[in-house]
């Protein structure tokens, strides 16, 4: 499974297509607001992993991630959402490698999206672009870090620092099913531009992406639905280096379900997600024709549970647990399981916003495997921690 940056379409899928209930709630917010500025979120985090092999040699990977997302009201039925992020990643191969640590620091691209609601807030339209303000023309050491943090088991938030000029569009429609349920359907696309990925090499152009999604919300007693289920299918065109096709990413099916309960002051949320991919293909020109070599892309499973309660009116405490499993695929270091568990504390900052602080102890391992020549590859032991401080600011409405 080739790592991709979090595209505009991914944001649209989660914001537009996954929740029909969200569409019915937007009108309430729109009627209440009177200012121009909308909410701003800064979910900063620090994640550290130590990878230890059978001989006791250790490699350390760390990342500071500071995204900023803000919105501007463009009238009663439209909003502009702006997003960017700063990332600082480091790789220390340990004493046995005989090499020093290396760093990759910089900003991501700036993404701008306009959301327009119509038909009684039952239809949501989106158009966006991504300006190539991130890092490009990476050196060999920077590419090594990028490959390491892209491992899907490790869960680093910023897997890519920059792309080309991207354009996206999407739409979602919600249909009420009685008083307690809403069905949503939508689709979208991202057209990606070329950019200098590797220094002094031809421009790399990721393939166009098209997606379709359906979702069902069953209402609860709070703003959150009691139960939500979503299905998305994503299709990818060929990636090109210069004008030569080099890679065909397998199409991807994503399944997600979540449960949210609020009995009294107790909160319980659980979410499960599966990502199933068709084979990837590496494209090579041989004798004037292009040959495709298929590779198993693997499958990924995710689960998250949070149980907490309101200590007082503004204070909430919880215990959060995560699991990530990756199987199949041709990359031995990506196959395995990781677990995370730790506390979370959240509080409202009056009418100005909210703050959440959370931490997790991380542990896991990669599977024993063999390389392409049949040689045995012993799995790695993984250990680490994750700290997140999330600030949400809400201007006066």
């Amino acid at each position: 499974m080739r790592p991709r940056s979090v595209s505009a379409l991914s944001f649209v899928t989660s914001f537009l297509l996954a929740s029909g209930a969200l569409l019915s709630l937007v009108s309430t917010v729109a009627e209440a607001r009177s200012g121009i500025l909308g909410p701003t979120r800064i979910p900063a985090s620090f994640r550290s992993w130590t990878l230890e092999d059978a001989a006791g040699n250790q490699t350390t990977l760390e990342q500071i991630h500071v995204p900023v997302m803000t919105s501007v009201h463009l009238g009663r039925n439209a909003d502009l959402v702006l997003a960017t992020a700063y990332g600082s990643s480091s790789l220390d191969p340990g004493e046995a490698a005989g090499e020093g640590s290396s760093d990759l620091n910089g900003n991501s691209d700036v993404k701008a999206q306009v959301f327009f609601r119509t038909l009684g807030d039952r239809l949501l339209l989106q158009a966006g672009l991504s300006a190539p303000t991130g890092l490009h023309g990476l050196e060999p050491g920077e590419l090594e870090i990028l490959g390491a943090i892209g491992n899907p088991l490790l869960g680093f938030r910023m897997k890519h620092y920059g792309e080309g000029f991207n354009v996206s569009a999407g739409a979602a429609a919600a249909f009420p099913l009685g008083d307690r349920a809403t069905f949503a359907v939508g689709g979208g696309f991202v057209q990606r531009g070329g950019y200098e990925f590797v220094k002094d090499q031809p421009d790399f152009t990721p393939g166009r992406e098209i997606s379709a999604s359906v979702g069902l919300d069953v209402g609860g007693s709070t703003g959150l639905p009691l139960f939500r289920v979503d299905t998305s299918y994503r299709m990818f065109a060929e990636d090109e280096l210069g004008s030569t096709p080099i890679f065909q990413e397998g199409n991807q099916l994503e399944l997600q379900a979540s449960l949210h309960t609020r009995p009294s002051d107790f909160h319980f949320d659980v979410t499960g997600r599966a990502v199933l991919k068709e084979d990837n293909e590496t494209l090579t020109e041989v004798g004037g024709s292009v040959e495709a070599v298929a590779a198993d892309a693997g499958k990924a499973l995710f689960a998250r549970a949070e149980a907490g309660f309101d200590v007082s009116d503004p204070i909430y405490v919880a215990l959060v647990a995560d699991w990530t499993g990756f199987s199949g695929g041709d990359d031995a270091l990506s196959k395995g399981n990781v677990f995370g568990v730790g506390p979370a504390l959240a509080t409202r900052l009056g009418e100005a916003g909210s703050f959440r602080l959370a931490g997790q102890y991380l542990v896991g391992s990669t599977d024993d495997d063999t390389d392409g020549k049949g040689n045995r590859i012993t799995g790695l032991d993984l250990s680490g921690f994750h700290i997140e401080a999330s600030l949400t600011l809400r201007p006066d409405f």
Side-chain angles (χ1 to χ4, degrees), residues 127-152:
L129 57 85
S130 176
T133 58
L135 292 180
H136 301 96
L138 302 183
E139 302 279 1
E142 296 173 326
L143 291 171
E144 183 181 8
I145 297 176
L146 201 65
I149 63 178
N151 187 324

Side-chain angles (χ1 to χ4, degrees), residues 1 232-234 236 250-255 273-279 297-302 327:
M1 185 177 298
S232 298
Y233 190 71
R234 302 167 66 187
F236 306 97
N251 295 337
Q252 180 170 308
L253 176 66
E254 301 176 10
L255 308 171
R273 182 169 178 259
V275 180
L276 311 174
K277 290 186 68 69
E278 299 175 9
D279 288 348
K299 65 179 180 180
L301 301 175
F302 309 90
S327 60

Side-chain angles (χ1 to χ4, degrees), residues 163-241:
E163 290 190 347
F165 187 86
N166 300 336
V167 178
S168 68
F175 306 92
L177 303 176
D179 297 331
R180 301 277 293 174
T182 303
F183 175 75
V185 60
F189 78 92
V190 178
Q191 181 68 49
R192 294 185 168 89
Y195 63 101
E196 186 186 31
F197 180 41
V198 180
K199 186 176 181 180
D200 299 327
Q201 294 295 316
D203 282 358
F204 171 68
T205 305
R208 180 178 59 256
E209 180 179 336
I210 299 174
S211 78
S213 300
V214 295
L216 176 68
D217 283 0
V218 178
S221 58
T222 65
L224 283 174
L226 173 65
F227 178 73
R228 171 181 296 167
V229 60
D230 311 304
T231 301
S232 298
Y233 190 71
R234 302 167 66 187
M235 297 169 287
F236 306 97
E238 296 174 346
D239 297 345
E240 296 181 347
L241 187 62

